[in-house]
Amino acid sequence: MHVSDLLTADGTVTGVRTRDGQTIAAENVVICGGMWSRQPGARAGINLPLQAAEHYYLITDSIPGLPRDLPVLEDPSTYTYYREEVGGMMLGLFEPGAAAWKLDGIPDDFSFGEIEPDWDRVGPDLERAYSRVPDTLNYGVRKLFCGPESFTPDLAPLVGPTPELRNCWVACGMNSLGILNGAGTGMVLAHWIVDGIPPIDVTGINVNRFSRSEGTRAFRRDRTPEQLGRLFGQHWHNEAPKTARDVKRSVLYDRLRDAGAYFTESSGWEQPDWFAPSPAEAHVEKLSWFRQNWFEWHAAEHRAAREDVILMDMSSMACFLVQGRDACALLNRLSCNEIDVENGRVVYTAWTNERGGFEADLTVTRLEQDKFMVVVGENAHGHTEMRLRRHIGRDEFVTVTDVTAGRSQINVHGPKARELLSRVTEADLSNEAFPFMSAREIDVGYAIVLAYRVTFVGELGWELHVPATQAVQTYDLLMKAGQDLGVRNAGMQTLNSLRLEKAYRDFGIDLDNTDNPIEAGLGFAVRLDKPSGFIGRDALAEIKAAGTPRTRMLQFLLKDPAPLLYGNELIYLDGKEVGYIQVGGYGHTLGGATGIGFAEHDAPLTPDVVEEGVWEIGIAGEKVPATASLKPLYDPTLAKVKA
């Protein structure tokens, strides 16, 4: 039965219409049409960034003696996999520089079909594939197959409820791994629909992670040819896509490029990863798991933040203006912390689901009685907006406005941040007039900016939310005023290393929807006694009442200054595997690689266990001694932040 359209009413899917005109009512509808899924989604206004590409494999004639139980072999260096197939050898390609297929839509009547092979394009890739198994050249070709497979912009599936329509779900974008992932995806989605909460971490596959820009024809045309090679080739940490770049640029992009920025990509945004001494030097000489050519430049940025002052362009942060009579009630219902505070107060809070699992970690600032600003990382932009809108009650009056594109965010941090800002503003920046976790409108040169005294790097500083029309002027003014203070630009590598020294958490990177604030060490931001309660309150109260958790997020510092940490390294306590590092970086102030991760113990993980245990981190087959801590190893008393 061919479905032609989704039926909707008041922003909710109510059923489907078939090609022969029949209508079928349904409480929930799941779009799970493989590479065709984007098309019915688009007709209903749903953004599904999914594109088919040509996929090749070759099967040789029968090879005498080739065992039927030959293991599947994969060679990332040639982007090829090999296995026995009907007595011959299959050479399957996931080549870089592949070809997108049918950008304007997959034909409805296409089924188990083939595409005419492009021998000229695929010839060199086949030569590389043959080079790994040269004996196969002695046998003829039984079949060269070319057929379509569909791929997403980040090679992760599209799963979950759609932001555009209530009760509409998605399960597609398997990226050529449908047989492997299909059953599990169905199980996850079934529980998600019935229970309202997914049973696993879905932060990396949730369909609401993409913007509409990543579903455009131009984006799909440019990104898809790279995806086959990225799926199968060698991978390096922090390696950004090369295609479909410049989707979102800060207005400071040109200034930062000219200052030597090397840009990476996050959720479509161009972000400075680190700064070279000159634009000509802003390149990676060789991808590696060891120190790269930019390591010392990044270290200088880190030291400037701890000793002098840095500027960071954080314009990619998502900002939502939440206003209206019931804005406070909505935000308090979503937030673990108390949002009903005085005007000008910045509140750090988690949002949780009914099981107490994270849905976001962010700040909510009360600007006026019925006017709030929600600020969250770019990777949680779509999820945060969807959660905000979905929880507005039918009788509530709240407006949610995405103001991200209209403002720029310039962070000023370091021991000399107050001195620098004082040179360009008439505002009183003292602790008494401008305390930590507060927000004020201040003048900076000709601009009136919303300044937040908050930090994600563990130093004195402010986040300046500047009208986009005045961001370049504000940046230039700050750079000029801070020359004798040692002001430097700093990038994402430095943001990561600074925040890891301070053990700051980040939803979507080291926290997901299966983790909770109590075990993550964020209980200080959970107000179980809030009169109005909040979503997840009962579950968190039960976790809290159970006493010291057996699973807790800890900070780790390697005792050997040489090795590096990236994430996924195993954690050992007294020789026993107890968890893994969520994310790592190099703590240039602490003097070694540092990271955070959950450790799971067979008894309550008390401070004594943490302090007295023998901790090690597994790196490249060796166990490296480490210090573990429940508290931040850098400035645990917030003396620097509150200076």
Side-chain angles (χ1 to χ4, degrees):
M1 184 178 295
H2 182 93
V3 172
S4 60
D5 294 294
L6 302 182
L7 304 177
T8 65
D10 298 326
T12 301
V13 69
T14 59
V16 298
R17 178 182 293 110
T18 65
R19 185 157 51 183
D20 60 8
Q22 182 182 2
T23 60
I24 302 173
E27 183 179 348
N28 292 280
V29 172
V30 181
I31 301 175
C32 50
M35 63 183 175
W36 287 267
S37 298
R38 181 180 60 82
Q39 292 153 227
R43 288 195 294 270
I46 296 169
N47 180 43
L48 298 179
L50 184 65
Q51 178 57 48
E54 295 179 3
H55 172 53
Y56 288 85
Y57 63 78
L58 179 148
I59 303 174
T60 71
D61 287 334
S62 294
I63 300 176
L66 187 69
R68 295 298 303 272
D69 60 352
L70 181 75
V72 177
L73 308 175
E74 297 183 357
D75 180 14
S77 69
T78 62
Y79 302 91
T80 313
Y81 66 92
Y82 308 85
R83 65 178 173 86
E84 186 275 339
E85 181 73 14
V86 294
M89 179 73 80
M90 174 187 282
L91 289 67
L93 299 179
F94 279 94
E95 75 280 7
W101 186 69
K102 298 294 184 183
L103 284 163
D104 294 321
I106 311 300
D108 289 342
D109 58 355
F110 182 86
S111 178
F112 300 104
E114 296 186 32
I115 304 169
E116 184 67 27
D118 184 346
W119 285 92
D120 291 337
R121 186 182 66 78
V122 82
D125 299 298
L126 285 172
E127 289 181 9
R128 283 189 289 270
Y130 270 117
S131 71
R132 178 61 69 192
V133 284
D135 190 53
T136 56
L137 288 169
N138 298 321
Y139 300 90
V141 175
R142 177 177 299 174
K143 177 71 173 178
L144 176 63
F145 175 84
C146 179
E149 293 274 10
S150 59
F151 299 88
T152 62
D154 61 0
L155 294 175
L158 303 174
V159 183
T162 66
E164 297 88 354
L165 280 178
R166 293 177 182 267
N167 296 356
C168 186
W169 305 75
V170 178
C172 63
M174 297 294 115
N175 298 283
S176 193
L177 300 174
I179 294 176
L180 182 66
N181 293 332
T185 300
M187 180 276 292
V188 169
L189 200 61
H191 282 279
W192 204 343
I193 293 172
V194 173
D195 302 333
I197 302 172
I200 65 166
D201 168 24
V202 296
T203 51
I205 65 175
N206 200 322
V207 66
N208 63 21
R209 70 189 185 275
F210 289 115
S211 68
R212 297 185 68 83
S213 297
E214 293 153 304
T216 62
R217 186 184 193 278
F219 187 97
R220 290 183 284 107
R221 177 199 65 210
D222 294 344
R223 175 61 60 85
T224 302
E226 182 182 12
Q227 295 305 78
L228 276 75
R230 287 181 62 83
L231 178 69
F232 217 70
Q234 298 181 30
H235 293 269
W236 306 93
H237 71 96
N238 216 47
E239 182 181 10
K242 297 179 176 61
T243 57
R245 296 290 297 267
D246 292 336
V247 176
K248 302 175 188 175
R249 280 187 184 180
S250 159
V251 296
L252 298 178
Y253 178 90
D254 290 349
R255 287 290 197 274
L256 303 176
R257 179 199 57 203
D258 293 346
Y262 176 84
F263 289 94
T264 186
E265 185 262 2
S266 177
S267 299
W269 281 91
E270 295 296 312
Q271 294 182 325
D273 204 33
W274 42 266
F275 285 82
S278 70
E281 298 169 273
H283 61 272
V284 176
E285 290 182 354
K286 182 181 179 181
L287 290 168
S288 170
W289 292 100
F290 301 97
R291 286 166 171 77
Q292 298 182 56
N293 61 299
W294 47 263
F295 187 81
E296 289 303 324
W297 300 333
H298 148 57
E301 297 172 26
H302 182 108
R303 287 190 291 270
R306 296 289 188 233
E307 300 168 9
D308 298 313
V309 60
I310 59 168
L311 300 186
M312 281 187 175
D313 178 19
M314 297 300 295
S315 301
S316 60
M317 296 291 287
C319 294
F320 302 98
L321 198 57
V322 183
Q323 302 177 90
R325 180 192 66 213
D326 301 300
C328 185
L330 167 67
L331 290 167
N332 235 357
R333 188 162 65 246
L334 290 169
S335 303
C336 298
N337 213 339
E338 179 60 71
I339 303 302
D340 193 1
V341 295
E342 66 272 16
N343 294 351
R345 174 82 180 276
V346 182
V347 178
Y348 170 74
T349 185
W351 289 0
T352 56
N353 55 44
E354 287 78 2
R355 292 178 185 165
F358 278 98
E359 294 292 339
D361 83 305
L362 42 75
T363 61
V364 179
T365 301
R366 190 170 208 166
L367 303 176
E368 299 174 11
Q369 183 66 17
D370 294 331
K371 182 179 180 181
F372 298 80
M373 185 73 82
V374 174
V375 181
V376 68
E378 74 282 352
N379 60 322
H381 189 141
H383 186 67
T384 302
E385 181 174 8
M386 180 176 173
R387 194 159 181 84
L388 271 169
R389 296 187 184 281
R390 286 288 169 89
H391 283 84
I392 300 173
R394 285 189 174 275
D395 297 327
E396 290 184 322
F397 179 76
V398 183
T399 63
V400 177
T401 308
D402 183 352
V403 297
T404 307
R407 29 68 64 205
S408 297
Q409 182 178 322
I410 303 173
N411 289 11
V412 185
H413 281 110
K416 300 176 184 177
R418 182 179 283 116
E419 171 64 19
L420 172 55
L421 267 182
S422 294
R423 295 179 178 184
V424 296
T425 182
E426 291 186 316
D428 185 347
L429 303 178
S430 65
N431 272 322
E432 295 74 23
F434 210 141
F436 182 56
M437 298 303 284
S438 63
R440 305 279 188 275
E441 278 196 341
I442 67 172
D443 63 301
V444 178
Y446 296 145
I448 300 298
V449 309
L450 181 59
Y452 291 67
R453 188 174 168 194
V454 294
T455 180
F456 195 55
V457 302
E459 295 292 337
L460 170 69
W462 283 262
E463 295 178 358
L464 305 180
H465 292 250
V466 189
T469 53
Q470 295 178 294
V472 172
Q473 303 93 305
T474 301
Y475 170 84
D476 288 347
L477 183 64
L478 289 166
M479 288 299 294
K480 183 177 180 180
Q483 288 304 303
D484 63 321
L485 300 176
V487 65
R488 293 183 70 111
N489 290 296
M492 295 301 105
Q493 289 289 339
T494 294
L495 178 70
N496 187 57
S497 65
L498 292 168
R499 73 102 171 178
L500 287 176
E501 285 192 327
K502 199 69 176 66
Y504 286 143
R505 280 53 161 163
D506 194 355
F507 174 74
I509 297 178
D510 35 67
L511 300 171
D512 63 54
N513 54 274
T514 64
D515 304 317
N516 66 75
I518 306 300
E519 294 177 346
L522 299 176
F524 67 88
V526 176
R527 287 284 306 276
L528 294 173
D529 59 348
K530 269 198 337 183
S532 60
F534 58 89
I535 298 170
R537 186 262 174 207
D538 292 345
L540 292 177
E542 186 175 339
I543 295 170
K544 182 74 171 178
T548 302
R550 298 186 178 194
T551 300
R552 303 185 78 172
M553 178 167 269
L554 305 177
Q555 182 184 17
F556 297 90
L557 173 66
L558 299 186
K559 295 181 179 181
D560 182 348
L564 304 178
L565 287 174
Y566 299 105
N568 294 315
E569 297 89 351
L570 291 175
I571 301 169
Y572 296 90
L573 171 58
D574 299 331
K576 179 183 176 182
E577 179 187 323
V578 294
Y580 61 91
I581 297 293
Q582 299 282 347
V583 65
Y586 199 85
H588 298 280
T589 307
L590 295 177
T594 185
I596 54 178
F598 284 99
E600 185 175 356
H601 195 39
D602 53 9
L605 202 51
T606 63
D608 287 344
V609 172
V610 175
E611 185 174 343
E612 297 169 6
V614 176
W615 295 92
E616 297 168 303
I617 307 297
I619 301 176
E622 296 185 5
K623 294 180 181 178
V624 180
T627 297
S629 179
L630 284 164
K631 295 181 179 180
L633 291 169
Y634 179 80
D635 190 28
T637 64
L638 295 178
K640 297 276 190 180
V641 172
K642 297 182 177 181

